[in-house]
Amino acid sequence: MRDVLRHHLFWPVAALVVLLVANTIARPGFLAVTVRDGHLFGAPVDILRTTAPLLLVALGMTLVIATRGIDLSVGAVVAVSGAVALSHIASSPNPDSPVTVLTAIALALVLCLLLGVWNGFLVSVLGIQPIIATLILMTAGRGVAMLITNGMITTVNSTPFKVLGSGFWLGLPAAAVLAFGVFAVVAFVVRRTALGMLLEATGINPAASRLSGVRSRTLTWTVYTASGLFAGLAGLLISADTMAADANNAGLFIELDAILAVVIGGTALSGGKFSLSGTLVGALVIATLERTVTVLGISPLVTPLFMALVVIAVTLLQSPRMRERLTARRRQVATPPGSRPAAGPGPTPGSTTDPTTDPTEVKA
Amino acid sequence: MATSAPARTPRARRGLRLPTRLDRRYLPVLGTFVVLALMLVVGGTRYENFLTPAVISNLFINNAHLIVLAVGMTFVILTGGIDLSVGSVLALSTVITAALLQAGLPVAVVIPLAVLAGTVIGLAHGVMIHYFQVQPFVATLAGMFLARGLCFLIAPESIGIADPAFIELATWVQIFGQWRMTSSVLIALIVVGLGFLVLHFTRFGRTVYAIGGGEQSALLMGLPVARTKVLAYVVSGTFAGLGGLLFAMFSRSGYSLTGVGMELDAIAAVVIGGTLLTGGTGFVLGSVLGVLVLGLIQTIITFEGTLSSWWTKIVIGVLLLIFVLLQRVLSLRRT
């Protein structure tokens, strides 16, 4: 029981469960999923679909935060991606042809990749603080997106492109399949290879990891590039959902939602240890919270208030001071029988455990 | 401005290869000053009626609230923190002002309450950040969402302000020749003066710089780190509340969606004004120059007419980049 309580996913999952229970009480059929026309329907499926863009952005954000960085530009990249893709489709003579759609997707993704490369260059090569380096693109990016769409909201009709936003693959929303697929691949690569450990090493101490042979600069550059690419993909999902490129409002505040998802998931903004499974739960909490507010009949405009309360509760519960207090109480209880102090598993002499196999860390 | 006076201080050492004997700390501010002067010269030669008192007065009138926000943000950034909530706290303050005035409360009660709302949120930030060791970024992000949510809870729609006393305060204009001065500009200038005095001539100000220079060292020196750090967020929150009041005077209304993204304008102004985001180096007057640069970009784009407003964002981004690179070069030389 104590292990469950101490698990880093305990509070985020508890928040998710509370939200789901509240929804089920307000609307008893909330968790029901039915099959209609060969597709799954129901609120949970809908939550999965609305989580998809946020999950992609938060995935990139987690990797960036693991290296002690932050990427504020993702919202602007989302806007640029949608603007490029939809402008290309709108300007082509045949918006329904798969070639047009694939070219549009490729154009958008390549441009977003380059924007990520630019952020990575500023941070890893020029050594500019991540928050400022990405603030530049955050400010300028929306201007660029408006430049692409000429300041108008570009709307198009393209059946193949629309599938990304509201279509179904294998009975599941295409957006969710795509986002969860990318998530699974990244989680696999990061956790089944040494990459995750190297990222954490870079985040904990860039200088020390460089001296011990980790290519911190390349890694940092890579995570910003990945973040740009994932944000671009999220931008495609968002623009395909609305079929409109709105340079002002597409992906507005998604960077903050993504940071919240990462923080709710238990990854500290100070870099180092990160939890992809935590980010997944965090993104689900945010999407479910948004849904809950509507189900409970509260104006969706008040959503930020509830988000703030969840974040304050989760961060306070995870704060070092609170942990100290909890462990101190536990130590008082635990030490009298003469057992070893509950200071956590120290490195035993001669052990070859690598730093990522911390018992509190769960493989995503 | 304040940049020329210290030029004669004999503090420049041999690492600096500039012919002038100028303290390196002033270089970014000097850069901002040069940019501002350049913009004024370019604008003055390109457009008629650009360098008129009316345009310059409007620059201050339109940006009074942002100046107040930037002064508060300077305190927080000097301690090495950040305050992402100022835009939504400003909105909250406008909404509180408008809602309370609509409810019929007298101005003398409403104004302190609106400012106090900012103070309370700032205090909450300070406590979360210092006592619970939540990162400033996360704590103020939560505060940002909280304030925005409260706005919508109080009033989802825009509320007009019709209170005669408030209107009178808002329309107070003093004319010196061609120059105009409104009460909001006066308040903003007082705030700048206060910020300047507090940062450079009080123990609290010195402690702010010390914390930004190194919190551990400040602690070891026996400085009141906890109190100062919390107070820096209280200052920022209070000034955000005051900024909201100025914005309510400017727009004669309270609206939940005002100030979206304004925290970034404030941060950009502080950075362009030469304050390092790592803390410890920077000047209030630099931040004011930063606000004027941002405002002047907007003015020039209005004068240009054919340039669309999105160029503002791109130009601000490019300027940010230039200043950040400048600071980077300067800090590389230092180490």
Side-chain angles (χ1 to χ4, degrees), chain A residues 66-68 197 199-209 270-273 355:
Chain A
T67 65
R68 207 189 271 184
M197 189 187 72
L199 284 177
E200 289 181 343
T202 307
I204 291 165
N205 191 334
S209 53
S270 46
K273 291 222 171 294

Side-chain angles (χ1 to χ4, degrees), chain B residues 40 48-63 173-182 185 250 292 295-296 299 302-303:
Chain B
L40 285 171
E48 272 178 51
N49 302 328
F50 187 80
L51 285 177
T52 53
V55 172
I56 308 294
S57 299
N58 273 335
L59 185 64
F60 279 92
I61 293 169
N62 294 339
N63 293 295
V173 179
Q174 200 69 29
I175 296 172
F176 314 100
Q178 297 250 290
W179 296 87
R180 290 186 304 138
M181 160 82 94
T182 60
V185 175
F250 181 71
L292 294 182
L296 212 55
T299 312
T302 316
F303 264 83

Side-chain angles (χ1 to χ4, degrees), chain B residues 2-24:
Chain B
T3 46
S4 55
R8 275 160 263 116
T9 51
R11 290 194 56 174
R13 269 155 270 159
R14 62 192 163 82
L16 188 67
R17 294 208 191 98
L18 281 174
T20 48
R21 296 164 69 78
L22 179 72
D23 191 320
R24 223 172 314 171

Side-chain angles (χ1 to χ4, degrees), chain B residues 43-271:
Chain B
T45 49
R46 245 181 105 82
Y47 320 107
E48 272 178 51
N49 302 328
F50 187 80
L51 285 177
T52 53
V55 172
I56 308 294
S57 299
N58 273 335
L59 185 64
F60 279 92
I61 293 169
N62 294 339
N63 293 295
H65 60 278
L66 195 55
I67 289 178
V68 173
L69 290 190
V71 171
M73 186 69 82
T74 312
F75 276 81
V76 171
I77 290 183
L78 280 177
T79 66
I82 198 149
D83 191 346
L84 294 178
S85 73
V86 291
S88 41
V89 171
L90 176 136
L92 181 63
S93 168
T94 67
V95 170
I96 288 178
T97 307
L100 290 183
L101 286 175
Q102 198 185 34
L105 267 75
V107 174
V109 177
V110 172
I111 288 179
L113 281 179
V115 178
L116 199 67
T119 313
V120 170
I121 291 182
L123 183 66
H125 287 153
V127 168
M128 270 177 87
I129 290 161
H130 190 78
Y131 291 101
F132 289 94
Q133 292 162 28
V134 179
Q135 277 139 326
F137 197 93
V138 179
T140 56
L141 189 66
M144 168 185 177
F145 278 95
L146 187 81
R148 197 64 81 184
L150 283 175
C151 281
F152 285 114
L153 203 63
I154 296 171
E157 273 130 30
S158 175
I159 310 174
I161 294 176
D163 188 274
F166 192 84
I167 297 281
E168 198 178 323
L169 191 65
T171 47
W172 181 85
V173 179
Q174 200 69 29
I175 296 172
F176 314 100
Q178 297 250 290
W179 296 87
R180 290 186 304 138
M181 160 82 94
T182 60
S183 43
S184 56
V185 175
L186 189 65
I187 294 173
L189 291 180
I190 291 172
V191 163
V192 171
L194 270 180
F196 182 79
L197 287 178
V198 166
L199 272 184
H200 296 292
F201 297 99
T202 66
R203 180 195 269 253
F204 169 66
R206 278 196 296 278
T207 313
V208 165
Y209 278 101
I211 292 176
E215 197 173 331
Q216 280 302 323
S217 334
L219 260 177
L220 291 173
M221 281 193 286
L223 294 172
V225 169
R227 193 192 344 152
T228 310
K229 230 166 122 189
V230 175
L231 262 181
Y233 287 93
V234 169
V235 167
S236 174
T238 309
F239 283 177
L242 188 63
L245 199 67
L246 298 191
F247 199 85
M249 283 155 82
F250 181 71
S251 65
R252 308 273 165 83
S253 67
Y255 185 37
S256 305
L257 278 176
T258 41
V260 169
M262 207 179 265
E263 53 282 336
L264 298 167
D265 288 341
I267 295 171
V270 173
V271 170

Side-chain angles (χ1 to χ4, degrees), chain A residues 4 28 40 48 100 223 263 293 307 312 340 344 353:
Chain A
V4 174
L40 292 174
L48 286 187
T100 312
V223 290
V263 169
V293 172
M307 266 158 77
I312 291 172
R340 68 191 174 92
T353 43

Side-chain angles (χ1 to χ4, degrees), chain A residues 65-359:
Chain A
I65 287 176
T67 65
R68 207 189 271 184
I70 198 137
D71 189 349
L72 292 182
S73 71
V74 286
V77 174
V78 162
V80 169
S81 164
V84 170
L86 289 192
S87 300
H88 178 78
I89 294 177
S91 66
S92 90
N94 186 3
D96 273 338
S97 92
V99 179
T100 312
V101 172
L102 285 179
T103 325
I105 291 174
L107 271 178
L109 290 184
V110 167
L111 184 61
C112 294
L113 189 85
L114 290 177
L115 292 177
V117 168
W118 161 257
N119 278 335
F121 172 74
L122 290 183
V123 174
S124 66
V125 179
L126 298 186
I128 297 171
Q129 275 172 295
I131 179 171
I132 279 295
T134 54
L135 181 66
I136 293 168
L137 187 57
M138 181 190 195
T139 317
R142 279 197 192 275
V144 172
M146 280 194 240
L147 210 60
I148 295 170
T149 59
N150 238 330
M152 287 176 286
I153 299 178
T154 311
T155 51
V156 295
N157 275 315
S158 165
T159 325
F161 190 66
K162 205 173 173 177
V163 169
L164 277 181
S166 44
F168 284 85
W169 286 339
L170 309 167
L172 287 166
V177 172
L178 199 70
F180 282 81
V182 170
F183 182 87
V185 169
V186 172
F188 183 82
V189 170
V190 167
R191 286 309 185 191
R192 293 294 155 199
T193 66
L195 194 61
M197 189 187 72
L198 299 180
L199 284 177
E200 289 181 343
T202 307
I204 291 165
N205 191 334
S209 53
R210 197 182 62 246
L211 291 175
S212 55
V214 179
R215 287 157 78 187
S216 306
R217 176 179 285 191
T218 318
L219 277 175
T220 311
W221 204 335
T222 312
V223 290
Y224 283 94
T225 311
S227 175
L229 182 66
F230 295 155
L233 203 52
L236 291 178
L237 298 187
I238 291 174
S239 59
D241 194 19
T242 56
M243 289 312 273
D246 184 349
N248 268 323
N249 295 315
L252 193 62
F253 296 133
I254 202 169
E255 59 277 348
L256 301 178
D257 284 352
I259 294 167
L260 288 189
V262 175
V263 169
I264 292 174
T267 301
L269 280 183
S270 46
K273 291 222 171 294
F274 66 99
S275 160
L276 288 175
S277 47
T279 298
L280 176 62
V281 177
L284 284 173
V285 167
I286 290 177
T288 315
L289 185 67
E290 278 169 358
R291 176 47 74 101
T292 312
V293 172
T294 12
V295 165
L296 294 182
I298 305 165
S299 158
L301 294 171
V302 191
T303 317
L305 186 65
F306 296 97
M307 266 158 77
L309 294 179
V310 170
V311 175
I312 291 172
V314 172
T315 47
L316 286 187
L317 285 169
Q318 287 175 345
S319 79
R321 163 81 50 125
M322 212 58 123
R323 276 203 180 162
E324 223 169 70
R325 218 166 261 177
L326 288 176
T327 48
R329 194 184 303 154
R330 212 168 280 137
R331 206 172 292 162
Q332 275 174 0
V333 178
T335 36
S339 60
R340 68 191 174 92
T348 43
S351 77
T352 51
T353 43
D354 74 44
T356 49
T357 52
D358 186 296

